[in-house]
Amino acid sequence: MQKALGVDEDEEVPMSTNKATPRLRRGLKLEAELKHKNLDLAQQGIVNSAINGSGPSYEVLTSSDDGADQMKREAMETLQSGEWLNDEVVNYFLKNCLRKRDQKMHDNSTNQKRSHFFNSFFVQKLFDEKNGNANLKGTYNYRNVKNWYRKVPGRNIFGMERVFFPINVRSNHWTLIVVFMEEKRIQYYDSYYSMDKGEGDKYLKGILEYLKDEHERQFKSDMHTSEWRLVPCTEDTPQQTKYNKENGHDCGVFACLFADFIAMDCAPIFDFDEECINK
């Protein structure tokens, strides 16, 4: 894995450097809290019923406050041990858990900027991955997402603190890109880096191109892309294969954890084995 150059005082750094940066300290604290967090019996019963219970696959088990997003039983079942999370679970977690928490943090602090969480279909459309034309499939296409800014708080993506892009790579692997606006940094997080076949660089460059096009649309001026840093997956990124070399299914959980930690301004340096993940 490549290592980010020019690491600043408050950026994610490998734990081996022993630099107790604010983000690193917060990350270690959050990791400890999650490891020692347990559900009570009532909560365990609800979770078990949702994940392992019986019922029609189309049964809606939970929905967002506005009813726009739903989680069906068949999606919940992908939370079983050894299963691969589908788009419905990942997108619901980012939109209805992390985004709502981000809204509350903003409401409780006038100094807290908002973050935005796109769903996985954004990157899919940005790269035209469903195009039936083999010559166009997988190529950058801003027109497919030119109106998605309307989903962003204030309709201004450049006013966000961070922007999250979950990516369903080749429809069989989850990764994450985060844009750190004030730092002008775009970083790629991949929990199974050995699977990467150049997608990381492709997605980093594509997101930068999207920001450039969005800047042109909003401000009618060019964005100085030379000021931005593209950071590939770094050597300290937690890997799902650390405790089990055959673990090819927990990438969705790791992508959600990356987003969870970073949205709380924590370095994503957690060390969870499969037992902890399953819990």
Side-chain angles (χ1 to χ4, degrees), residues 79-274:
L79 289 166
Q80 295 174 0
S81 176
E83 295 295 324
W84 188 84
L85 299 190
N86 67 4
D87 293 86
E88 194 173 332
V89 173
V90 173
N91 292 333
Y92 193 94
F93 177 72
L94 266 66
K95 182 177 179 180
N96 293 286
C97 297
L98 300 191
R99 190 180 70 169
K100 288 176 69 173
R101 184 182 67 187
D102 181 77
Q103 175 71 63
K104 289 181 180 179
M105 290 192 300
H106 172 75
D107 293 343
N108 293 332
S109 174
T110 56
N111 297 323
Q112 177 71 42
K113 279 190 173 184
R114 290 293 306 276
S115 290
H116 184 62
F117 305 85
F118 281 109
N119 64 37
S120 59
F121 303 118
F122 177 91
V123 169
Q124 182 184 100
K125 289 183 174 295
L126 183 67
F127 286 93
D128 227 353
E129 293 175 351
K130 295 297 183 180
N131 196 312
N133 187 328
N135 294 323
L136 298 176
K137 184 177 181 179
T139 60
Y140 178 86
N141 191 339
Y142 174 70
R143 289 178 299 174
N144 284 349
V145 297
K146 66 180 181 179
N147 293 322
W148 282 56
Y149 74 91
R150 296 172 180 171
K151 303 174 185 290
V152 179
R155 296 192 169 190
N156 177 15
I157 196 170
F158 298 98
M160 301 294 99
E161 182 170 6
R162 305 177 192 88
V163 184
F164 295 79
F165 300 86
I167 305 172
N168 191 345
V169 182
R170 303 187 303 274
S171 297
N172 66 7
H173 180 53
W174 286 104
T175 64
L176 179 75
I177 278 182
V178 182
V179 174
F180 300 83
M181 280 296 175
E182 293 185 0
E183 301 171 35
K184 294 185 177 180
R185 171 165 57 97
I186 307 174
Q187 188 154 346
Y188 188 63
Y189 298 88
D190 185 350
S191 63
Y192 202 162
Y193 187 80
S194 61
M195 280 188 63
D196 185 78
K197 294 179 174 58
E199 291 95 350
D201 288 342
K202 180 186 92 168
Y203 290 127
L204 284 168
K205 293 174 182 176
I207 295 301
L208 179 62
E209 190 68 20
Y210 167 71
L211 294 179
K212 179 182 176 182
D213 286 338
E214 192 62 14
H215 193 280
E216 168 64 24
R217 180 201 63 78
Q218 184 165 350
F219 302 111
K220 310 303 179 188
S221 63
D222 292 335
M223 186 180 80
H224 300 297
T225 56
S226 61
E227 298 176 352
W228 285 78
R229 282 197 308 138
L230 304 184
V231 184
C233 191
T234 57
E235 65 182 19
D236 58 323
T237 302
Q239 296 293 288
Q240 65 197 65
T241 54
K242 179 177 180 179
Y243 293 100
N244 179 2
K245 299 300 182 184
E246 303 300 319
N247 184 350
H249 51 266
D250 278 337
C251 52
V253 179
F254 274 70
C256 289
L257 283 169
F258 292 149
D260 189 12
F261 272 65
I262 296 168
M264 292 290 287
D265 201 23
C266 299
I269 43 72
F270 51 86
D271 184 19
F272 298 148
D273 58 20
E274 285 190 84

Side-chain angles (χ1 to χ4, degrees), residues 53-64:
S54 60
S57 61
Y58 55 82
E59 180 183 1
V60 176
L61 300 184
T62 186
S63 60
S64 58

Side-chain angles (χ1 to χ4, degrees), residues 34 36-48 51 278-279:
L34 291 175
H36 294 93
K37 186 174 183 179
N38 293 299
L39 302 178
D40 60 33
L41 291 177
Q43 292 171 330
Q44 290 178 24
I46 294 173
V47 171
N48 185 61
I51 297 176
N278 292 336
K279 185 184 74 170

